[in-house]
Amino acid sequence: MDSMDRKIVAALQVEGRITLTELADKVRLSVSRCQRRVRDLEAAGIIHGYRAVVDAAAMGYGFEVLLFATLSRPDVVTEFDAALAGIPEVIEAQRLFGEPDYLIRVVSADLPSYQRLYESVLIHLPGVRGLNSTIVMKQAVRPRPLPGRAPRDTDRPAANA
């Protein structure tokens, strides 16, 4: 990725519905060159898709939980990942180094609906040894675009400086 690709990605993260003409004007490229670069970014998997940012509470999902999962054995990871992907209330999941093994974001309407999901689905996920739920009180920083440029080691001060 060069600096022009970074400008395109930055603009699309802020406004995914921008027209190609507006995007080209914003990054100072011809429409055809801009379109080619966007297609290349999509083909390379740098841009995965476009979606609306939606208010979860307005959609009936006003209750959010961070769920920490520890697996009983490493050979169930693939099966666990597939099972997680099949749960609509799981909106994000990361596999972690060490313990716990996963950090999972779960949404539901309220505490009773989360409890039903927990008892009927989550505790029965393949290979689960333990689950620990933490209720989200407030989203202090909303999901936001990635920084405009990639960090470099030379950008950071030395550890002993």
Side-chain angles (χ1 to χ4, degrees):
M1 278 186 56
D2 63 13
S3 63
M4 184 56 66
D5 288 338
R6 290 187 190 289
K7 286 180 187 176
I8 291 169
V9 169
L12 287 172
Q13 285 185 100
V14 172
E15 190 178 355
R17 291 180 55 142
I18 192 171
T19 67
L20 273 173
T21 304
E22 292 168 328
L23 179 60
D25 186 51
K26 185 173 259 186
V27 299
R28 297 181 172 210
L29 277 179
S30 69
V31 174
S32 61
R33 289 185 67 208
C34 184
Q35 182 178 31
R36 191 172 326 113
R37 281 180 175 262
V38 169
R39 281 190 196 143
D40 290 347
L41 290 165
E42 292 168 347
I46 295 166
I47 297 174
H48 291 272
Y50 304 87
R51 58 179 63 119
V53 178
V54 178
D55 182 313
M59 297 294 295
Y61 295 102
F63 192 79
E64 183 175 334
V65 173
L66 298 178
L67 179 66
F68 300 92
T70 302
L71 302 184
S72 58
R73 49 189 211 280
D75 62 323
V76 295
V77 167
T78 302
E79 190 180 351
F80 185 83
D81 287 352
L84 277 182
I87 304 170
E89 295 87 353
V90 172
I91 60 169
E92 189 175 2
Q94 287 94 25
R95 180 137 187 248
L96 308 174
F97 281 107
E99 262 190 47
D101 295 305
Y102 284 83
L103 169 60
I104 306 161
R105 281 182 63 206
V106 180
V107 294
S108 67
D110 51 27
L111 179 57
S113 63
Y114 175 70
Q115 182 178 353
R116 284 190 299 277
L117 177 69
Y118 184 92
E119 292 172 350
S120 65
V121 177
L122 298 173
I123 61 173
H124 300 291
L125 287 168
V128 168
R129 185 178 78 205
L131 297 175
N132 187 356
S133 301
T134 300
I135 298 169
V136 174
M137 180 182 0
K138 173 187 168 190
Q139 194 169 45
V141 176
R142 296 214 171 272
R144 58 184 172 196
L146 294 171
R149 63 183 180 87
R152 295 185 183 92
D153 290 337
T154 56
D155 291 341
R156 302 184 195 286
N160 56 359

